[in-house]
Amino acid sequence: MSVQFRAATLDDLPDVLALMADDVLGATREVPEIAPYRAAFQSMEREGNNHLIVGTSDGRIVATYQITYISGLSLRAARRAQIETVRVASDLRGQGIGALMIADAEARARAAGCTLMQLTMNKRRTDTARFYQRLGFTPSHIGYKRDLI
C-alpha cells in the first residue's frame, strides 16, 4: 500500500478525530464536538514546533500522528521529538502503515535536528508495545501522568 504523509489541515480534523475514536481507548475519551479540537489544532499551528501529520492513500486519511520538537538541557542539550496520537485505520492495521508512519516521523525529527525520539503509550496496549520494540524503541523509562482537571 502506498501512503503519503503530509501536514494536516483544519479540513482534515473530522477524519483525524474518527481515527482517534476508532480505538478501544479512544472511543471512551474523545468527544463528538469538534470545536475544542479545532481550537487545539489552531494552537498547535501557532506554536510552530507542534505538528499534526496525516497519512493518505487513494485520497483517504488512513493514519495520523502528532510530533512535537522539544529543546532541552539533558543528554548534552538534546533536541527530542515527542510522538503522540499514533493511529492507523482499524481496517488497515497490520499492513505496514504504522512502520511507514514511524519512518516518516523519524525523517522529520532528524530534519528538525532531533537526536532522540520518544513516546508514551497506554500500558494496556500490549500489541502496540511489541510494535514499538520491533521498530527499535526501548521501554527505558516509566511515565507518569496527573490529570489537572
PDB file of all heavy atoms in Angstrom, residues 56-97:
ATOM      1  N   THR A  56      -2.110   9.554   3.830  1.00  0.00           N
ATOM      2  CA  THR A  56      -3.228   9.358   2.909  1.00  0.00           C
ATOM      3  C   THR A  56      -2.904   8.264   1.907  1.00  0.00           C
ATOM      4  O   THR A  56      -1.750   8.051   1.533  1.00  0.00           O
ATOM      5  CB  THR A  56      -3.563  10.659   2.143  1.00  0.00           C
ATOM      6  OG1 THR A  56      -2.440  11.035   1.351  1.00  0.00           O
ATOM      7  CG2 THR A  56      -3.922  11.777   3.098  1.00  0.00           C
ATOM      8  N   SER A  57      -3.938   7.586   1.492  1.00  0.00           N
ATOM      9  CA  SER A  57      -3.829   6.562   0.454  1.00  0.00           C
ATOM     10  C   SER A  57      -5.102   6.632  -0.377  1.00  0.00           C
ATOM     11  O   SER A  57      -6.208   6.563   0.175  1.00  0.00           O
ATOM     12  CB  SER A  57      -3.673   5.179   1.081  1.00  0.00           C
ATOM     13  OG  SER A  57      -3.568   4.197   0.074  1.00  0.00           O
ATOM     14  N   ASP A  58      -4.947   6.807  -1.655  1.00  0.00           N
ATOM     15  CA  ASP A  58      -6.090   6.922  -2.571  1.00  0.00           C
ATOM     16  C   ASP A  58      -7.105   7.967  -2.088  1.00  0.00           C
ATOM     17  O   ASP A  58      -8.316   7.738  -2.125  1.00  0.00           O
ATOM     18  CB  ASP A  58      -6.776   5.570  -2.761  1.00  0.00           C
ATOM     19  CG  ASP A  58      -5.874   4.559  -3.454  1.00  0.00           C
ATOM     20  OD1 ASP A  58      -5.082   4.977  -4.331  1.00  0.00           O
ATOM     21  OD2 ASP A  58      -5.950   3.367  -3.119  1.00  0.00           O
ATOM     22  N   GLY A  59      -6.606   9.101  -1.590  1.00  0.00           N
ATOM     23  CA  GLY A  59      -7.471  10.187  -1.162  1.00  0.00           C
ATOM     24  C   GLY A  59      -8.091  10.022   0.215  1.00  0.00           C
ATOM     25  O   GLY A  59      -8.807  10.892   0.681  1.00  0.00           O
ATOM     26  N   ARG A  60      -7.813   8.927   0.887  1.00  0.00           N
ATOM     27  CA  ARG A  60      -8.380   8.650   2.217  1.00  0.00           C
ATOM     28  C   ARG A  60      -7.307   8.857   3.280  1.00  0.00           C
ATOM     29  O   ARG A  60      -6.164   8.425   3.114  1.00  0.00           O
ATOM     30  CB  ARG A  60      -8.868   7.204   2.265  1.00  0.00           C
ATOM     31  CG  ARG A  60      -9.357   6.762   3.621  1.00  0.00           C
ATOM     32  CD  ARG A  60      -9.710   5.273   3.632  1.00  0.00           C
ATOM     33  NE  ARG A  60     -10.022   4.828   4.972  1.00  0.00           N
ATOM     34  CZ  ARG A  60     -10.008   3.569   5.358  1.00  0.00           C
ATOM     35  NH1 ARG A  60      -9.715   2.606   4.491  1.00  0.00           N
ATOM     36  NH2 ARG A  60     -10.291   3.247   6.604  1.00  0.00           N
ATOM     37  N   ILE A  61      -7.665   9.500   4.373  1.00  0.00           N
ATOM     38  CA  ILE A  61      -6.744   9.607   5.509  1.00  0.00           C
ATOM     39  C   ILE A  61      -6.782   8.273   6.247  1.00  0.00           C
ATOM     40  O   ILE A  61      -7.829   7.866   6.756  1.00  0.00           O
ATOM     41  CB  ILE A  61      -7.120  10.781   6.425  1.00  0.00           C
ATOM     42  CG1 ILE A  61      -6.883  12.100   5.670  1.00  0.00           C
ATOM     43  CG2 ILE A  61      -6.301  10.735   7.716  1.00  0.00           C
ATOM     44  CD1 ILE A  61      -7.253  13.337   6.436  1.00  0.00           C
ATOM     45  N   VAL A  62      -5.646   7.593   6.254  1.00  0.00           N
ATOM     46  CA  VAL A  62      -5.572   6.248   6.824  1.00  0.00           C
ATOM     47  C   VAL A  62      -4.723   6.182   8.092  1.00  0.00           C
ATOM     48  O   VAL A  62      -4.681   5.150   8.753  1.00  0.00           O
ATOM     49  CB  VAL A  62      -5.030   5.238   5.786  1.00  0.00           C
ATOM     50  CG1 VAL A  62      -5.973   5.141   4.587  1.00  0.00           C
ATOM     51  CG2 VAL A  62      -3.623   5.592   5.337  1.00  0.00           C
ATOM     52  N   ALA A  63      -4.033   7.290   8.417  1.00  0.00           N
ATOM     53  CA  ALA A  63      -3.157   7.292   9.584  1.00  0.00           C
ATOM     54  C   ALA A  63      -2.937   8.729  10.034  1.00  0.00           C
ATOM     55  O   ALA A  63      -3.102   9.671   9.262  1.00  0.00           O
ATOM     56  CB  ALA A  63      -1.819   6.644   9.237  1.00  0.00           C
ATOM     57  N   THR A  64      -2.540   8.859  11.297  1.00  0.00           N
ATOM     58  CA  THR A  64      -2.212  10.172  11.832  1.00  0.00           C
ATOM     59  C   THR A  64      -1.248  10.034  12.995  1.00  0.00           C
ATOM     60  O   THR A  64      -1.201   8.984  13.652  1.00  0.00           O
ATOM     61  CB  THR A  64      -3.486  10.930  12.288  1.00  0.00           C
ATOM     62  OG1 THR A  64      -3.137  12.278  12.592  1.00  0.00           O
ATOM     63  CG2 THR A  64      -4.140  10.291  13.487  1.00  0.00           C
ATOM     64  N   TYR A  65      -0.468  11.076  13.217  1.00  0.00           N
ATOM     65  CA  TYR A  65       0.346  11.183  14.417  1.00  0.00           C
ATOM     66  C   TYR A  65       0.662  12.647  14.662  1.00  0.00           C
ATOM     67  O   TYR A  65       0.557  13.482  13.769  1.00  0.00           O
ATOM     68  CB  TYR A  65       1.631  10.351  14.338  1.00  0.00           C
ATOM     69  CG  TYR A  65       2.692  10.866  13.382  1.00  0.00           C
ATOM     70  CD1 TYR A  65       3.695  11.719  13.819  1.00  0.00           C
ATOM     71  CD2 TYR A  65       2.700  10.477  12.049  1.00  0.00           C
ATOM     72  CE1 TYR A  65       4.680  12.176  12.939  1.00  0.00           C
ATOM     73  CE2 TYR A  65       3.679  10.914  11.168  1.00  0.00           C
ATOM     74  CZ  TYR A  65       4.666  11.768  11.629  1.00  0.00           C
ATOM     75  OH  TYR A  65       5.637  12.226  10.766  1.00  0.00           O
ATOM     76  N   GLN A  66       1.016  12.941  15.883  1.00  0.00           N
ATOM     77  CA  GLN A  66       1.426  14.285  16.275  1.00  0.00           C
ATOM     78  C   GLN A  66       2.897  14.227  16.635  1.00  0.00           C
ATOM     79  O   GLN A  66       3.344  13.300  17.321  1.00  0.00           O
ATOM     80  CB  GLN A  66       0.606  14.742  17.478  1.00  0.00           C
ATOM     81  CG  GLN A  66       0.967  16.127  17.984  1.00  0.00           C
ATOM     82  CD  GLN A  66       0.109  16.536  19.177  1.00  0.00           C
ATOM     83  OE1 GLN A  66      -0.938  15.958  19.428  1.00  0.00           O
ATOM     84  NE2 GLN A  66       0.572  17.527  19.900  1.00  0.00           N
ATOM     85  N   ILE A  67       3.667  15.194  16.179  1.00  0.00           N
ATOM     86  CA  ILE A  67       5.090  15.271  16.505  1.00  0.00           C
ATOM     87  C   ILE A  67       5.387  16.663  17.048  1.00  0.00           C
ATOM     88  O   ILE A  67       4.978  17.665  16.462  1.00  0.00           O
ATOM     89  CB  ILE A  67       5.981  14.913  15.294  1.00  0.00           C
ATOM     90  CG1 ILE A  67       7.453  14.853  15.677  1.00  0.00           C
ATOM     91  CG2 ILE A  67       5.743  15.851  14.123  1.00  0.00           C
ATOM     92  CD1 ILE A  67       8.342  14.195  14.623  1.00  0.00           C
ATOM     93  N   THR A  68       6.042  16.690  18.191  1.00  0.00           N
ATOM     94  CA  THR A  68       6.411  17.940  18.846  1.00  0.00           C
ATOM     95  C   THR A  68       7.917  17.935  19.062  1.00  0.00           C
ATOM     96  O   THR A  68       8.467  16.960  19.571  1.00  0.00           O
ATOM     97  CB  THR A  68       5.691  18.084  20.204  1.00  0.00           C
ATOM     98  OG1 THR A  68       4.292  17.889  20.003  1.00  0.00           O
ATOM     99  CG2 THR A  68       5.940  19.432  20.824  1.00  0.00           C
ATOM    100  N   TYR A  69       8.568  19.011  18.666  1.00  0.00           N
ATOM    101  CA  TYR A  69      10.016  19.142  18.833  1.00  0.00           C
ATOM    102  C   TYR A  69      10.275  19.909  20.124  1.00  0.00           C
ATOM    103  O   TYR A  69       9.733  20.992  20.342  1.00  0.00           O
ATOM    104  CB  TYR A  69      10.633  19.862  17.641  1.00  0.00           C
ATOM    105  CG  TYR A  69      10.277  19.209  16.328  1.00  0.00           C
ATOM    106  CD1 TYR A  69       9.567  19.901  15.363  1.00  0.00           C
ATOM    107  CD2 TYR A  69      10.622  17.885  16.063  1.00  0.00           C
ATOM    108  CE1 TYR A  69       9.230  19.300  14.157  1.00  0.00           C
ATOM    109  CE2 TYR A  69      10.281  17.278  14.872  1.00  0.00           C
ATOM    110  CZ  TYR A  69       9.581  17.993  13.922  1.00  0.00           C
ATOM    111  OH  TYR A  69       9.234  17.398  12.733  1.00  0.00           O
ATOM    112  N   ILE A  70      11.116  19.329  20.986  1.00  0.00           N
ATOM    113  CA  ILE A  70      11.375  19.878  22.310  1.00  0.00           C
ATOM    114  C   ILE A  70      12.877  20.086  22.471  1.00  0.00           C
ATOM    115  O   ILE A  70      13.650  19.128  22.353  1.00  0.00           O
ATOM    116  CB  ILE A  70      10.872  18.927  23.412  1.00  0.00           C
ATOM    117  CG1 ILE A  70       9.401  18.567  23.189  1.00  0.00           C
ATOM    118  CG2 ILE A  70      11.106  19.523  24.792  1.00  0.00           C
ATOM    119  CD1 ILE A  70       8.928  17.375  24.004  1.00  0.00           C
ATOM    120  N   SER A  71      13.268  21.302  22.760  1.00  0.00           N
ATOM    121  CA  SER A  71      14.672  21.579  23.076  1.00  0.00           C
ATOM    122  C   SER A  71      14.853  21.397  24.573  1.00  0.00           C
ATOM    123  O   SER A  71      13.973  21.754  25.361  1.00  0.00           O
ATOM    124  CB  SER A  71      15.037  23.009  22.679  1.00  0.00           C
ATOM    125  OG  SER A  71      14.903  23.176  21.286  1.00  0.00           O
ATOM    126  N   GLY A  72      15.984  20.844  24.961  1.00  0.00           N
ATOM    127  CA  GLY A  72      16.212  20.604  26.384  1.00  0.00           C
ATOM    128  C   GLY A  72      17.683  20.650  26.740  1.00  0.00           C
ATOM    129  O   GLY A  72      18.547  20.777  25.866  1.00  0.00           O
ATOM    130  N   LEU A  73      17.951  20.532  28.013  1.00  0.00           N
ATOM    131  CA  LEU A  73      19.323  20.581  28.505  1.00  0.00           C
ATOM    132  C   LEU A  73      19.923  19.195  28.733  1.00  0.00           C
ATOM    133  O   LEU A  73      21.129  19.017  28.580  1.00  0.00           O
ATOM    134  CB  LEU A  73      19.383  21.376  29.814  1.00  0.00           C
ATOM    135  CG  LEU A  73      18.964  22.850  29.700  1.00  0.00           C
ATOM    136  CD1 LEU A  73      18.992  23.513  31.068  1.00  0.00           C
ATOM    137  CD2 LEU A  73      19.855  23.586  28.720  1.00  0.00           C
ATOM    138  N   SER A  74      19.087  18.212  29.096  1.00  0.00           N
ATOM    139  CA  SER A  74      19.621  16.887  29.407  1.00  0.00           C
ATOM    140  C   SER A  74      20.136  16.196  28.150  1.00  0.00           C
ATOM    141  O   SER A  74      19.816  16.593  27.022  1.00  0.00           O
ATOM    142  CB  SER A  74      18.563  16.033  30.095  1.00  0.00           C
ATOM    143  OG  SER A  74      17.499  15.767  29.224  1.00  0.00           O
ATOM    144  N   LEU A  75      20.943  15.170  28.366  1.00  0.00           N
ATOM    145  CA  LEU A  75      21.539  14.398  27.270  1.00  0.00           C
ATOM    146  C   LEU A  75      22.329  15.299  26.320  1.00  0.00           C
ATOM    147  O   LEU A  75      22.161  15.261  25.105  1.00  0.00           O
ATOM    148  CB  LEU A  75      20.472  13.596  26.515  1.00  0.00           C
ATOM    149  CG  LEU A  75      19.699  12.583  27.350  1.00  0.00           C
ATOM    150  CD1 LEU A  75      18.547  11.998  26.541  1.00  0.00           C
ATOM    151  CD2 LEU A  75      20.620  11.491  27.865  1.00  0.00           C
ATOM    152  N   ARG A  76      23.175  16.151  26.902  1.00  0.00           N
ATOM    153  CA  ARG A  76      24.022  17.071  26.135  1.00  0.00           C
ATOM    154  C   ARG A  76      23.197  18.053  25.305  1.00  0.00           C
ATOM    155  O   ARG A  76      23.498  18.287  24.139  1.00  0.00           O
ATOM    156  CB  ARG A  76      24.994  16.309  25.256  1.00  0.00           C
ATOM    157  CG  ARG A  76      25.943  15.427  26.038  1.00  0.00           C
ATOM    158  CD  ARG A  76      26.916  14.757  25.122  1.00  0.00           C
ATOM    159  NE  ARG A  76      27.681  13.790  25.891  1.00  0.00           N
ATOM    160  CZ  ARG A  76      28.165  12.686  25.412  1.00  0.00           C
ATOM    161  NH1 ARG A  76      27.999  12.392  24.140  1.00  0.00           N
ATOM    162  NH2 ARG A  76      28.841  11.874  26.169  1.00  0.00           N
ATOM    163  N   ALA A  77      22.175  18.572  25.910  1.00  0.00           N
ATOM    164  CA  ALA A  77      21.288  19.552  25.266  1.00  0.00           C
ATOM    165  C   ALA A  77      20.592  18.965  24.044  1.00  0.00           C
ATOM    166  O   ALA A  77      20.432  19.603  23.013  1.00  0.00           O
ATOM    167  CB  ALA A  77      22.049  20.822  24.905  1.00  0.00           C
ATOM    168  N   ALA A  78      20.136  17.726  24.196  1.00  0.00           N
ATOM    169  CA  ALA A  78      19.476  17.026  23.087  1.00  0.00           C
ATOM    170  C   ALA A  78      18.148  17.678  22.738  1.00  0.00           C
ATOM    171  O   ALA A  78      17.379  18.078  23.605  1.00  0.00           O
ATOM    172  CB  ALA A  78      19.242  15.563  23.457  1.00  0.00           C
ATOM    173  N   ARG A  79      17.919  17.784  21.458  1.00  0.00           N
ATOM    174  CA  ARG A  79      16.597  18.168  20.963  1.00  0.00           C
ATOM    175  C   ARG A  79      15.871  16.855  20.695  1.00  0.00           C
ATOM    176  O   ARG A  79      16.420  15.942  20.086  1.00  0.00           O
ATOM    177  CB  ARG A  79      16.744  18.989  19.679  1.00  0.00           C
ATOM    178  CG  ARG A  79      15.440  19.510  19.118  1.00  0.00           C
ATOM    179  CD  ARG A  79      15.751  20.501  17.992  1.00  0.00           C
ATOM    180  NE  ARG A  79      14.594  20.860  17.228  1.00  0.00           N
ATOM    181  CZ  ARG A  79      13.836  21.923  17.470  1.00  0.00           C
ATOM    182  NH1 ARG A  79      14.140  22.728  18.454  1.00  0.00           N
ATOM    183  NH2 ARG A  79      12.784  22.190  16.715  1.00  0.00           N
ATOM    184  N   ARG A  80      14.657  16.744  21.158  1.00  0.00           N
ATOM    185  CA  ARG A  80      13.931  15.486  21.022  1.00  0.00           C
ATOM    186  C   ARG A  80      12.615  15.685  20.297  1.00  0.00           C
ATOM    187  O   ARG A  80      12.081  16.778  20.269  1.00  0.00           O
ATOM    188  CB  ARG A  80      13.721  14.828  22.381  1.00  0.00           C
ATOM    189  CG  ARG A  80      12.931  15.657  23.349  1.00  0.00           C
ATOM    190  CD  ARG A  80      13.043  15.162  24.782  1.00  0.00           C
ATOM    191  NE  ARG A  80      14.346  15.478  25.314  1.00  0.00           N
ATOM    192  CZ  ARG A  80      15.028  14.693  26.147  1.00  0.00           C
ATOM    193  NH1 ARG A  80      14.512  13.574  26.577  1.00  0.00           N
ATOM    194  NH2 ARG A  80      16.208  15.032  26.570  1.00  0.00           N
ATOM    195  N   ALA A  81      12.128  14.616  19.745  1.00  0.00           N
ATOM    196  CA  ALA A  81      10.820  14.602  19.088  1.00  0.00           C
ATOM    197  C   ALA A  81       9.896  13.736  19.932  1.00  0.00           C
ATOM    198  O   ALA A  81      10.195  12.564  20.184  1.00  0.00           O
ATOM    199  CB  ALA A  81      10.925  14.050  17.678  1.00  0.00           C
ATOM    200  N   GLN A  82       8.807  14.317  20.364  1.00  0.00           N
ATOM    201  CA  GLN A  82       7.784  13.591  21.111  1.00  0.00           C
ATOM    202  C   GLN A  82       6.698  13.175  20.122  1.00  0.00           C
ATOM    203  O   GLN A  82       6.159  14.013  19.399  1.00  0.00           O
ATOM    204  CB  GLN A  82       7.181  14.493  22.197  1.00  0.00           C
ATOM    205  CG  GLN A  82       6.028  13.883  22.954  1.00  0.00           C
ATOM    206  CD  GLN A  82       6.470  12.842  23.965  1.00  0.00           C
ATOM    207  OE1 GLN A  82       7.577  12.901  24.493  1.00  0.00           O
ATOM    208  NE2 GLN A  82       5.605  11.884  24.234  1.00  0.00           N
ATOM    209  N   ILE A  83       6.397  11.890  20.062  1.00  0.00           N
ATOM    210  CA  ILE A  83       5.396  11.350  19.153  1.00  0.00           C
ATOM    211  C   ILE A  83       4.152  10.988  19.970  1.00  0.00           C
ATOM    212  O   ILE A  83       4.259  10.325  21.002  1.00  0.00           O
ATOM    213  CB  ILE A  83       5.916  10.084  18.424  1.00  0.00           C
ATOM    214  CG1 ILE A  83       7.294  10.308  17.829  1.00  0.00           C
ATOM    215  CG2 ILE A  83       4.915   9.601  17.391  1.00  0.00           C
ATOM    216  CD1 ILE A  83       7.369  11.383  16.805  1.00  0.00           C
ATOM    217  N   GLU A  84       2.995  11.416  19.492  1.00  0.00           N
ATOM    218  CA  GLU A  84       1.741  11.139  20.191  1.00  0.00           C
ATOM    219  C   GLU A  84       0.625  10.899  19.183  1.00  0.00           C
ATOM    220  O   GLU A  84       0.785  11.143  17.991  1.00  0.00           O
ATOM    221  CB  GLU A  84       1.341  12.336  21.072  1.00  0.00           C
ATOM    222  CG  GLU A  84       2.368  12.684  22.120  1.00  0.00           C
ATOM    223  CD  GLU A  84       1.911  13.813  23.006  1.00  0.00           C
ATOM    224  OE1 GLU A  84       0.868  13.641  23.670  1.00  0.00           O
ATOM    225  OE2 GLU A  84       2.582  14.847  23.025  1.00  0.00           O
ATOM    226  N   THR A  85      -0.502  10.454  19.686  1.00  0.00           N
ATOM    227  CA  THR A  85      -1.719  10.275  18.889  1.00  0.00           C
ATOM    228  C   THR A  85      -1.443   9.457  17.621  1.00  0.00           C
ATOM    229  O   THR A  85      -1.844   9.819  16.523  1.00  0.00           O
ATOM    230  CB  THR A  85      -2.357  11.642  18.538  1.00  0.00           C
ATOM    231  OG1 THR A  85      -2.334  12.481  19.695  1.00  0.00           O
ATOM    232  CG2 THR A  85      -3.806  11.487  18.100  1.00  0.00           C
ATOM    233  N   VAL A  86      -0.725   8.382  17.777  1.00  0.00           N
ATOM    234  CA  VAL A  86      -0.381   7.495  16.660  1.00  0.00           C
ATOM    235  C   VAL A  86      -1.575   6.588  16.390  1.00  0.00           C
ATOM    236  O   VAL A  86      -1.980   5.813  17.246  1.00  0.00           O
ATOM    237  CB  VAL A  86       0.877   6.661  16.996  1.00  0.00           C
ATOM    238  CG1 VAL A  86       1.196   5.687  15.886  1.00  0.00           C
ATOM    239  CG2 VAL A  86       2.063   7.580  17.281  1.00  0.00           C
ATOM    240  N   ARG A  87      -2.144   6.711  15.192  1.00  0.00           N
ATOM    241  CA  ARG A  87      -3.317   5.905  14.841  1.00  0.00           C
ATOM    242  C   ARG A  87      -3.254   5.467  13.388  1.00  0.00           C
ATOM    243  O   ARG A  87      -2.819   6.210  12.516  1.00  0.00           O
ATOM    244  CB  ARG A  87      -4.615   6.709  15.011  1.00  0.00           C
ATOM    245  CG  ARG A  87      -4.893   7.206  16.397  1.00  0.00           C
ATOM    246  CD  ARG A  87      -5.324   6.078  17.334  1.00  0.00           C
ATOM    247  NE  ARG A  87      -5.877   6.585  18.560  1.00  0.00           N
ATOM    248  CZ  ARG A  87      -5.171   7.061  19.580  1.00  0.00           C
ATOM    249  NH1 ARG A  87      -3.870   7.119  19.506  1.00  0.00           N
ATOM    250  NH2 ARG A  87      -5.773   7.476  20.673  1.00  0.00           N
ATOM    251  N   VAL A  88      -3.719   4.256  13.152  1.00  0.00           N
ATOM    252  CA  VAL A  88      -3.911   3.705  11.804  1.00  0.00           C
ATOM    253  C   VAL A  88      -5.352   3.218  11.735  1.00  0.00           C
ATOM    254  O   VAL A  88      -5.868   2.647  12.706  1.00  0.00           O
ATOM    255  CB  VAL A  88      -2.926   2.534  11.532  1.00  0.00           C
ATOM    256  CG1 VAL A  88      -3.250   1.847  10.216  1.00  0.00           C
ATOM    257  CG2 VAL A  88      -1.485   3.021  11.537  1.00  0.00           C
ATOM    258  N   ALA A  89      -5.998   3.426  10.612  1.00  0.00           N
ATOM    259  CA  ALA A  89      -7.378   2.970  10.437  1.00  0.00           C
ATOM    260  C   ALA A  89      -7.472   1.487  10.795  1.00  0.00           C
ATOM    261  O   ALA A  89      -6.640   0.685  10.367  1.00  0.00           O
ATOM    262  CB  ALA A  89      -7.829   3.213   9.004  1.00  0.00           C
ATOM    263  N   SER A  90      -8.472   1.141  11.572  1.00  0.00           N
ATOM    264  CA  SER A  90      -8.580  -0.228  12.088  1.00  0.00           C
ATOM    265  C   SER A  90      -8.656  -1.272  10.978  1.00  0.00           C
ATOM    266  O   SER A  90      -8.137  -2.379  11.136  1.00  0.00           O
ATOM    267  CB  SER A  90      -9.776  -0.359  13.035  1.00  0.00           C
ATOM    268  OG  SER A  90     -10.977  -0.024  12.379  1.00  0.00           O
ATOM    269  N   ASP A  91      -9.266  -0.949   9.844  1.00  0.00           N
ATOM    270  CA  ASP A  91      -9.369  -1.936   8.766  1.00  0.00           C
ATOM    271  C   ASP A  91      -8.061  -2.106   7.989  1.00  0.00           C
ATOM    272  O   ASP A  91      -7.959  -2.990   7.149  1.00  0.00           O
ATOM    273  CB  ASP A  91     -10.504  -1.570   7.803  1.00  0.00           C
ATOM    274  CG  ASP A  91     -10.288  -0.251   7.095  1.00  0.00           C
ATOM    275  OD1 ASP A  91      -9.838   0.716   7.740  1.00  0.00           O
ATOM    276  OD2 ASP A  91     -10.574  -0.178   5.883  1.00  0.00           O
ATOM    277  N   LEU A  92      -7.059  -1.294   8.305  1.00  0.00           N
ATOM    278  CA  LEU A  92      -5.779  -1.377   7.586  1.00  0.00           C
ATOM    279  C   LEU A  92      -4.602  -1.734   8.491  1.00  0.00           C
ATOM    280  O   LEU A  92      -3.461  -1.755   8.031  1.00  0.00           O
ATOM    281  CB  LEU A  92      -5.499  -0.040   6.879  1.00  0.00           C
ATOM    282  CG  LEU A  92      -6.520   0.364   5.821  1.00  0.00           C
ATOM    283  CD1 LEU A  92      -6.205   1.750   5.290  1.00  0.00           C
ATOM    284  CD2 LEU A  92      -6.563  -0.659   4.694  1.00  0.00           C
ATOM    285  N   ARG A  93      -4.867  -2.006   9.745  1.00  0.00           N
ATOM    286  CA  ARG A  93      -3.776  -2.350  10.668  1.00  0.00           C
ATOM    287  C   ARG A  93      -3.134  -3.670  10.250  1.00  0.00           C
ATOM    288  O   ARG A  93      -3.785  -4.533   9.674  1.00  0.00           O
ATOM    289  CB  ARG A  93      -4.297  -2.424  12.097  1.00  0.00           C
ATOM    290  CG  ARG A  93      -4.697  -1.056  12.605  1.00  0.00           C
ATOM    291  CD  ARG A  93      -5.202  -1.081  14.031  1.00  0.00           C
ATOM    292  NE  ARG A  93      -5.773   0.225  14.336  1.00  0.00           N
ATOM    293  CZ  ARG A  93      -6.812   0.432  15.122  1.00  0.00           C
ATOM    294  NH1 ARG A  93      -7.398  -0.589  15.716  1.00  0.00           N
ATOM    295  NH2 ARG A  93      -7.264   1.636  15.327  1.00  0.00           N
ATOM    296  N   GLY A  94      -1.855  -3.784  10.528  1.00  0.00           N
ATOM    297  CA  GLY A  94      -1.112  -4.995  10.193  1.00  0.00           C
ATOM    298  C   GLY A  94      -0.596  -5.027   8.770  1.00  0.00           C
ATOM    299  O   GLY A  94      -0.085  -6.048   8.321  1.00  0.00           O
ATOM    300  N   GLN A  95      -0.692  -3.918   8.053  1.00  0.00           N
ATOM    301  CA  GLN A  95      -0.240  -3.866   6.659  1.00  0.00           C
ATOM    302  C   GLN A  95       1.018  -3.022   6.470  1.00  0.00           C
ATOM    303  O   GLN A  95       1.379  -2.696   5.346  1.00  0.00           O
ATOM    304  CB  GLN A  95      -1.366  -3.337   5.767  1.00  0.00           C
ATOM    305  CG  GLN A  95      -2.578  -4.238   5.765  1.00  0.00           C
ATOM    306  CD  GLN A  95      -3.638  -3.766   4.783  1.00  0.00           C
ATOM    307  OE1 GLN A  95      -3.335  -3.212   3.739  1.00  0.00           O
ATOM    308  NE2 GLN A  95      -4.888  -4.006   5.116  1.00  0.00           N
ATOM    309  N   GLY A  96       1.669  -2.631   7.568  1.00  0.00           N
ATOM    310  CA  GLY A  96       2.913  -1.890   7.468  1.00  0.00           C
ATOM    311  C   GLY A  96       2.775  -0.380   7.489  1.00  0.00           C
ATOM    312  O   GLY A  96       3.776   0.335   7.403  1.00  0.00           O
ATOM    313  N   ILE A  97       1.554   0.129   7.614  1.00  0.00           N
ATOM    314  CA  ILE A  97       1.361   1.577   7.616  1.00  0.00           C
ATOM    315  C   ILE A  97       2.001   2.198   8.860  1.00  0.00           C
ATOM    316  O   ILE A  97       2.607   3.273   8.787  1.00  0.00           O
ATOM    317  CB  ILE A  97      -0.137   1.930   7.530  1.00  0.00           C
ATOM    318  CG1 ILE A  97      -0.692   1.464   6.180  1.00  0.00           C
ATOM    319  CG2 ILE A  97      -0.361   3.433   7.709  1.00  0.00           C
ATOM    320  CD1 ILE A  97      -2.199   1.557   6.055  1.00  0.00           C
TER     321      ILE A  97
END
